[in-house]
Amino acid sequence: MRVLGIETSCDETGVAVYDTALRGAAALRAQALYSQIALHAEYGGVVPELASRDHVRKLVPLVRQTLAEAGLAPADLDGVAYTAGPGLVGALLVGAGVGRALAWALDVPAIGVHHMEGHLLAPLIEDGDPVHGRPAPPFVALLVSGGHTQLVAVEAIGRYRLLGETLDDAAGEAFDKTAKLMGLPYPGGPQLAALAERGTPGAYRFARPMIDRPGLDFSFSGLKTQVLLAWRDSDQSEATRADIARGFEDAVVETLAIKCERALDAAGSDTLIVAGGVGANRRLRERLQAMAARRGGRACFPRPALCTDNGAMIAFAGALRLQAGQHDDAAVRAVPRWDMASLPPLA
Ligand code: KG4
Ligand code: ZN
């Protein structure tokens, strides 16, 4: 089954074709991504109306480009998957409208995919490491993006039990806001991480939020305030900025690692999968891999390009559901707020 995937929930237009008849990396026949970063940079954050208008401009050409790269005509598609939510409603409506209309014209089924399920399944797109192969449920998933920080017990694909989540800022949001308050341009997360590489470990030590409390929830807004005070009272030199970035990154990574280990204990699992934009963070990857290995288990990540928003994860998640016989009716579906636990199981 050849499924076109469309992602437009925020500031990236992503398109991909996933072919369930092919194995391994070849199944992802083509993908293309257009990032709106330059468009939003001067405002210091995503401007929803500008995001929607840019998706309108870019989506159809990107669909054409992706099909051409896959060597396919529109009529070769067997299904269309689009991100139905959660996300910015105007941005979602562009992908939903184009995706639904295309499926209607081609007389193939369409499915609205949950963006976080797309992230969660991204580590399953490719073959995985040569020893263990592709991870399979049950496992624990850490979802760390710009809008979400969640620990989820995955009993099976489509059966998600929330173990904990952030009470305020998401991990990616904390990276972005912290970067901004130290004067880094939007989107600050990856830049803050790059800066932290040059910082001295231990020069600044920030409290790890919520680790002395039971439960698996997170809170990152206090950490941001700690950084603000440290930055304000510092000499604000380049070296200090790097040291503070390092202290912040270490605090986030350490907090996530402690909670992930507790979540594995709580779920009785030895496999952790990590997805979402912050999953691209090198130090987080190393720290979680070391933690899982120490327990005799493993931590699985998509390659960094599949951690951040992309069309491939939507094509893949949609293909699994379409293959299981699930699809939507003719309505154009956009669900800005959508609880992942309400999704139906796959089988
Ligand atoms: O999953 P994603 O692309 O979009 C959402 O669904 O939100 O995640 C974007 C988030 C941003 O907050 C960005 O700053 C963060 O992921 N991010 C990173 C890194 N790369 C992206 N945060 C820390 N280190 C990185 N290397
Ligand atoms: Zn995302």
Side-chain angles (χ1 to χ4, degrees), residues 156-207:
I157 295 176
R159 298 213 0 206
Y160 306 123
R161 187 162 51 85
L162 186 66
L163 298 172
E165 65 184 330
T166 184
L167 304 177
D168 41 59
D169 293 347
E173 189 180 4
F175 264 92
D176 294 338
K177 287 181 174 172
T178 301
K180 192 172 180 177
L181 68 85
M182 289 202 293
L184 297 177
Y186 163 87
Q191 303 207 33
L192 190 78
L195 192 62
E197 295 292 309
R198 287 185 264 131
T200 313
Y204 281 85
R205 195 182 188 288
F206 301 113

Side-chain angles (χ1 to χ4, degrees), residues 12 115 119 145-147 172-173 175-176 188-190 193 276-278 280-281 307-309:
E12 329 265 0
H115 181 81
H119 275 303
S145 70
E173 189 180 4
F175 264 92
D176 294 338
V278 185
N281 185 276
C307 282
T308 45
D309 288 350

Side-chain angles (χ1 to χ4, degrees), residues 78-258:
D78 304 301
V80 178
Y82 61 86
T83 302
L88 304 170
V89 68
L92 289 169
L93 276 168
V94 179
V98 170
R100 193 65 201 85
L102 190 60
W104 179 266
L106 298 172
D107 197 20
V108 297
I111 187 154
V113 172
H114 192 291
H115 181 81
M116 297 313 292
E117 181 176 55
H119 275 303
L120 193 153
L121 298 177
L124 281 59
I125 296 179
E126 293 175 310
D127 284 336
D129 72 74
V131 182
H132 307 92
R134 215 177 274 237
F139 49 62
V140 170
L142 170 69
L143 303 178
V144 270
S145 70
H148 292 78
T149 299
Q150 296 182 328
L151 275 163
V152 180
V154 179
E155 279 132 30
I157 295 176
R159 298 213 0 206
Y160 306 123
R161 187 162 51 85
L162 186 66
L163 298 172
E165 65 184 330
T166 184
L167 304 177
D168 41 59
D169 293 347
E173 189 180 4
F175 264 92
D176 294 338
K177 287 181 174 172
T178 301
K180 192 172 180 177
L181 68 85
M182 289 202 293
L184 297 177
Y186 163 87
Q191 303 207 33
L192 190 78
L195 192 62
E197 295 292 309
R198 287 185 264 131
T200 313
Y204 281 85
R205 195 182 188 288
F206 301 113
R208 278 71 174 133
M210 309 250 306
I211 54 166
D212 49 359
R213 283 197 232 168
L216 294 166
D217 288 334
F218 304 92
S219 164
F220 291 110
S221 73
L223 183 57
K224 187 184 60 197
T225 310
Q226 288 184 64
V227 171
L228 177 65
L229 298 176
W231 176 243
R232 207 189 53 190
D233 297 339
S234 76
D235 62 3
Q236 304 202 347
S237 67
E238 253 328 281
T240 300
R241 182 148 62 178
D243 289 347
I244 293 178
R246 180 60 192 261
F248 167 82
E249 186 182 59
D250 282 347
V252 173
V253 167
E254 190 62 22
T255 305
L256 290 173
I258 291 169

Side-chain angles (χ1 to χ4, degrees), residues 313-331:
M313 67 186 197
I314 304 304
F316 178 70
L320 291 184
R321 290 194 175 271
L322 288 169
Q323 229 182 356
Q326 300 179 13
H327 59 82
D328 290 344
D329 59 20

